[in-house]
Amino acid sequence: GQQLNQSPQSMFIQEGEDVSMNCTSSSIFNTWLWYKQDPGEGPVLLIALYKAGELTSNGRLTAQFGITRKDSFLNISASIPSDVGIYFCAGQPGGYGGSQGNLIFGKGTKLSVKP
Amino acid sequence: DSGVTQTPKHLITATGQRVTLRCSPRSGDLSVYWYQQSLDQGLQFLIQYYNGEERAKGNILERFSAQQFPDLHSELNLSSLELGDSALYFCASSNRPGGSYNEQFFGPGTRLTVL
């Protein structure tokens, strides 16, 4: 089945540093979503991308939908302690003509921030 | 708060038993999705309902079934439970059946423990 390769698996950074993570796939996606999950909680939607090449920001977060529609990246600038958590990319496969909405998730990037 | 509610928060049961997980989507959302999150498999799509009708099926076992009621809440039924069914079960909702601009919002999840 379709899979998303998300990297890195984990990051341990200093407060104030910038962070970059990405997802790649062998298949085309028509939507890329980035979520953050805290322990024991549900994933929270951070950024949604719908067009190839689209670059979208949400505060200190910036994400891009790759031109090939097979990849996406998420950047976090000037990290702070509350950025700690697991970040997931999720793609909605293309080709269903809008009839199905299931998401395929990456394995996540665990971010730890040292004050 | 995503607006998606799930009950119960925690469920502990024995092998061979049957349980029902409940989800209420955000107001106005017609699509409900069920996902399973385990340590080894990550977030996996199980099934989608749109306005009462099954829309998409993922890696859902035959022992599992779901339905969406006229008031749009959904229930996931898990039967003949096995130890390996222990996981977090998430419900998500969106206002579209699929295609572009299909942002999915997740509930807080139900943690199922099978002993």
Side-chain angles (χ1 to χ4, degrees):
Chain A
Q2 292 170 305
Q3 290 184 325
L4 289 183
N5 298 310
Q6 186 172 350
S7 64
Q9 268 189 313
S10 62
M11 302 182 74
F12 191 83
I13 62 169
Q14 197 81 25
E15 182 177 357
E17 289 183 355
D18 296 344
V19 171
S20 184
M21 59 191 79
N22 68 83
C23 273
T24 60
S25 171
S26 58
S27 307
I28 287 174
F29 288 88
N30 63 21
T31 297
W32 283 95
L33 304 174
W34 284 92
Y35 289 88
K36 178 175 182 260
Q37 186 177 24
D38 292 327
E41 305 289 329
V44 174
L45 182 62
L46 299 174
I47 290 182
L49 301 159
Y50 301 110
K51 297 178 183 176
E54 180 181 358
L55 185 71
T56 297
S57 293
N58 178 8
R60 294 179 295 106
L61 277 60
T62 302
Q64 184 159 29
F65 192 144
I67 288 290
T68 65
R69 297 171 63 193
K70 293 181 179 180
D71 63 320
S72 178
F73 73 74
L74 174 71
N75 287 339
I76 305 174
S77 62
S79 58
I80 59 178
S82 63
D83 290 333
V84 165
I86 302 179
Y87 292 80
F88 291 96
C89 62
Q92 181 176 285
Y96 295 133
S99 65
Q100 297 178 8
N102 54 291
L103 295 176
I104 299 186
F105 280 82
K107 296 290 188 186
T109 295
K110 185 176 181 179
L111 179 63
S112 301
V113 179
K114 186 177 179 182
Chain B
D1 185 352
S2 67
V4 179
T5 61
Q6 288 187 250
T7 57
K9 181 77 172 170
H10 301 278
L11 199 49
I12 300 175
T13 188
T15 54
Q17 295 298 305
R18 172 190 168 94
V19 297
T20 298
L21 312 183
R22 182 188 169 104
C23 166
S24 292
R26 293 187 319 159
S27 176
D29 283 356
L30 298 179
S31 269
V32 169
Y33 310 80
W34 287 97
Y35 292 86
Q36 179 192 60
Q37 187 176 36
S38 60
L39 281 175
D40 55 341
Q41 293 293 322
L43 270 158
Q44 298 280 319
F45 168 71
L46 296 178
I47 196 163
Q48 175 196 2
Y49 278 82
Y50 178 76
N51 203 20
E53 300 287 328
E54 183 182 303
R55 199 77 177 192
K57 225 169 185 177
N59 302 319
I60 188 166
L61 300 171
E62 284 192 12
R63 300 183 286 108
F64 296 1
S65 65
Q67 54 183 329
Q68 186 179 29
F69 295 86
D71 67 352
L72 302 177
H73 90 273
S74 178
E75 292 180 356
L76 179 67
N77 300 297
L78 314 177
S79 62
S80 303
L81 285 168
E82 302 175 358
L83 295 178
D85 297 328
S86 296
L88 271 166
Y89 291 84
F90 288 104
C91 166
S93 75
S94 71
N95 59 14
R96 303 170 73 89
S100 293
Y101 304 100
N102 187 37
E103 298 177 5
Q104 294 183 27
F105 296 88
F106 281 73
T110 293
R111 181 176 291 280
L112 173 67
T113 303
V114 182
L115 301 176

